[in-house]
Amino acid sequence: GENVEQHPSTLSVQEGDSAVIKCTYSDSASNYFPWYKQELGKRPQLIIDIRSNVGEKKDQRIAVTLNKTAKHFSLHITETQPEDSAVYFCAASNEAAGNKLTFGGGTRVLVKP
Amino acid sequence: KAGVTQTPRYLIKTRGQQVTLSCSPISGHRSVSWYQQTPGQGLQFLFEYFSETQRNKGNFPGRFSGRQFSNSRSEMNVSTLELGDSALYLCASSFGGDEKLFFGSGTQLSVL
């Protein structure tokens, strides 16, 4: 089955700096890669996603890049703000497997003012 | 549009008991998935239901089961509870053909 590894497990950045989280996946059939943000005590929220036919996608301060050959994808947050502090999860799925997401272990991001 | 609703929010049970969790998806969504979240194992897929049929199943023992009703609402049942079943159980819904999952706030289950 699919295996997703996520690094780093914790990330501390100064407000205004950039944050980068990297994930690798094992199943070359995976074709959908979402990112979720989970604040303490709250539900995971989809912040951005990318499909395998696209190499990069951007939404304001957030961007995701995908390298299918290397089987890795990354989340980039620019101009970080204290409200970006949360746990971020990457995930992968194969459309043929329906809505079965395999999640990475999560990255705890702390933005210091 | 209302989000995914899970009830109850908190549950305390003892070993050996059984429990039923409920999930109401976003209106119009036909797929409901269940995930277990623990500090040690992270987010793990339990199963997915689409149009009242189980479409996918994760690697959990048979004590974990679920079902979906004709109105897309779903229930998850855990029988013979073990201490290790203590976790946040998250339900997520999607339209069906689109993988965008929207999560509920979860049910925090504590097994004593």
Side-chain angles (χ1 to χ4, degrees):
Chain A
E2 174 66 279
N3 182 51
V4 178
E5 294 193 358
Q6 183 172 346
H7 299 281
S9 56
T10 60
L11 181 59
S12 183
V13 297
Q14 208 64 39
E15 183 177 357
D17 288 349
S18 294
V20 180
I21 304 170
K22 299 182 179 182
C23 290
T24 59
Y25 61 99
S26 61
D27 187 352
S28 55
S30 289
N31 54 13
Y32 176 66
F33 308 92
W35 286 86
Y36 285 84
K37 173 185 180 182
Q38 187 175 29
E39 296 176 64
L40 190 62
K42 296 193 176 180
R43 71 186 74 192
Q45 289 193 301
L46 178 67
I47 56 172
I48 195 167
D49 57 4
I50 192 168
R51 296 179 189 274
S52 59
N53 58 348
V54 176
E56 184 173 357
K57 185 175 179 181
K58 191 174 180 181
D59 183 3
Q60 299 183 341
R61 296 186 297 108
I62 293 174
V64 58
T65 58
L66 171 65
N67 183 326
K68 285 189 297 183
T69 303
K71 293 208 279 281
H72 69 69
F73 56 113
S74 301
L75 178 72
H76 304 253
I77 307 173
T78 58
E79 300 172 23
T80 53
Q81 300 168 4
E83 52 265 38
D84 294 329
S85 296
V87 179
Y88 292 80
F89 293 95
C90 63
S93 76
N94 174 359
E95 191 173 15
N99 286 330
K100 179 182 177 180
L101 290 179
T102 300
F103 283 88
T107 297
R108 185 175 299 278
V109 175
L110 175 63
V111 180
K112 294 181 286 187
Chain B
K1 192 182 258 191
V4 179
T5 304
Q6 290 188 247
T7 57
R9 188 70 179 90
Y10 301 95
L11 264 179
I12 300 175
K13 293 286 186 179
T14 56
R15 280 181 299 173
Q17 287 187 311
Q18 73 163 14
V19 66
T20 299
L21 314 181
S22 180
C23 173
S24 293
I26 292 171
S27 178
H29 284 191
R30 296 177 296 168
S31 166
V32 174
S33 304
W34 289 88
Y35 289 81
Q36 182 195 65
Q37 185 173 27
T38 60
Q41 298 298 316
L43 279 153
Q44 292 189 293
F45 173 79
L46 281 155
F47 28 66
E48 181 208 2
Y49 287 87
F50 179 80
S51 293
E52 301 179 66
T53 300
Q54 188 179 84
R55 187 160 71 170
N56 260 307
K57 191 177 188 307
N59 297 322
F60 279 81
R63 300 185 297 106
F64 292 81
S65 63
R67 58 178 176 169
Q68 186 180 33
F69 303 96
S70 58
N71 62 357
S72 293
R73 190 177 71 84
S74 176
E75 287 182 348
M76 184 189 123
N77 184 274
V78 188
S79 63
T80 319
L81 284 166
E82 300 177 0
L83 295 178
D85 296 334
S86 294
L88 179 66
Y89 289 89
L90 291 161
C91 165
S93 76
S94 75
F95 182 73
D98 183 331
E99 294 94 340
K100 290 183 190 293
L101 293 188
F102 296 90
F103 283 87
S105 296
T107 293
Q108 184 67 54
L109 172 65
S110 297
V111 182
L112 306 178

